[in-house]
């Protein structure tokens, strides 16, 4: 799947060759870092939900979004079993912030979830990450609850949810 989002950036499914760049972006942009095996496992198990943003001129990976599909109760309560898309990680290289690349990645992965009849998408975000919270709200996510001491450094997280069907 190649989705030209502008003349500069292409959103596509990640490939194993993209993993070193994804890991580098994760380490440089986010406080939560994962071992290489984590990324490889998610790429193998959920290839449709592991997308990269590529700068067309140089073929450089400049951002990514990783999701996994889970089954469980709705995040906002209830007892029916639903399919949930968990946004595990989203990051864009600093020089490319503010260009809508995070939005492009999220819209692309949400379209994939809708195509595959996923019922809701959810994610956790640091309570002090105002830019990310603003992005997610713009995409239709709602804050469901606070997650005290959610992150390893003790920062509170927010659980945000978007109904897809």
């Amino acid at each position: 799947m190649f989705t030209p989002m502008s003349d500069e950036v292409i959103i596509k499914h990640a490939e194993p060759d993209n993993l070193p760049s994804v890991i580098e972006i994760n380490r440089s942009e986010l406080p939560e870092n994962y071992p290489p095996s984590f990324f490889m496992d998610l790429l193998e198990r959920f290839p449709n939900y592991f997308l990269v943003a590529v700068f067309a001129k140089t073929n450089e990976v400049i951002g990514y979004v990783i999701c996994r599909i889970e089954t469980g109760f709705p995040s906002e309560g209830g007892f029916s079993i639903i399919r949930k898309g968990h946004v595990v990680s989203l990051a864009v290289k600093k020089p490319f912030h503010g260009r809508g690349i995070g939005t492009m990645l999220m819209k692309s992965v949400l379209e994939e979830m809708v195509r595959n009849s996923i019922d809701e998408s959810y994610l956790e975000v640091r309570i002090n990450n105002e830019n990310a919270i603003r992005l997610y709200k713009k995409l239709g996510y709602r804050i469901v609850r606070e997650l005290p001491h959610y992150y390893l450094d003790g920062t509170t997280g927010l659980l945000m949810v978007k109904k897809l069907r």
Side-chain angles (χ1 to χ4, degrees), residues 79-95:
F79 295 105
S80 58
I81 300 297
I82 62 169
R83 295 180 70 214
K84 300 163 43 158
H86 183 181
V87 180
V88 175
S89 187
L90 169 71
V92 174
K93 281 186 171 182
K94 272 214 185 14

Side-chain angles (χ1 to χ4, degrees), residues 7-165:
D7 58 346
E8 292 183 3
V9 179
I10 297 168
I11 306 297
K12 66 177 196 133
H13 288 114
E15 300 169 3
D17 290 353
N18 301 135
L19 289 181
S21 297
V22 167
I23 292 166
E24 177 188 323
I25 293 167
N26 172 256
R27 293 211 168 119
S28 67
E29 300 300 328
L30 298 176
E32 288 71 49
N33 300 143
Y34 308 103
S37 58
F38 176 83
F39 295 97
M40 190 58 167
D41 177 61
L42 290 174
L43 179 58
E44 288 174 354
R45 291 175 48 217
F46 306 103
N48 290 350
Y49 304 96
F50 194 137
L51 305 179
V52 290
V54 177
F55 191 54
K57 293 178 186 172
T58 61
N59 209 29
E60 172 189 9
V61 175
I62 57 174
Y64 70 85
V65 63
I66 306 170
C67 305
R68 65 178 170 232
I69 304 306
E70 305 167 352
T71 303
F73 296 121
S75 298
E76 295 185 89
F79 295 105
S80 58
I81 300 297
I82 62 169
R83 295 180 70 214
K84 300 163 43 158
H86 183 181
V87 180
V88 175
S89 187
L90 169 71
V92 174
K93 281 186 171 182
K94 272 214 185 14
F96 297 92
H97 285 190
R99 294 189 184 180
I101 295 166
T103 300
M104 289 188 267
L105 285 161
M106 286 297 296
K107 284 183 176 179
S108 295
V109 83
L110 287 168
E111 288 170 10
E112 187 72 22
M113 288 181 194
V114 169
R115 263 194 304 279
N116 288 289
S117 301
I118 305 301
D119 298 295
E120 77 174 35
S121 174
Y122 77 98
L123 54 88
E124 300 85 10
V125 62
R126 288 174 172 270
I127 197 165
N128 57 358
N129 190 342
E130 295 172 13
N131 289 339
I133 294 166
R134 195 168 28 257
L135 165 66
Y136 299 137
K137 283 182 174 180
K138 184 174 78 173
L139 292 169
Y141 285 84
R142 293 182 331 96
I143 297 171
V144 174
R145 68 180 165 272
E146 286 190 10
L147 306 167
H149 310 292
Y150 181 78
Y151 292 95
L152 287 176
D153 65 3
T155 301
T156 294
L158 296 174
L159 175 65
M160 297 186 76
V161 177
K162 174 183 174 79
K163 288 187 188 284
L164 301 176
R165 16 186 262 148

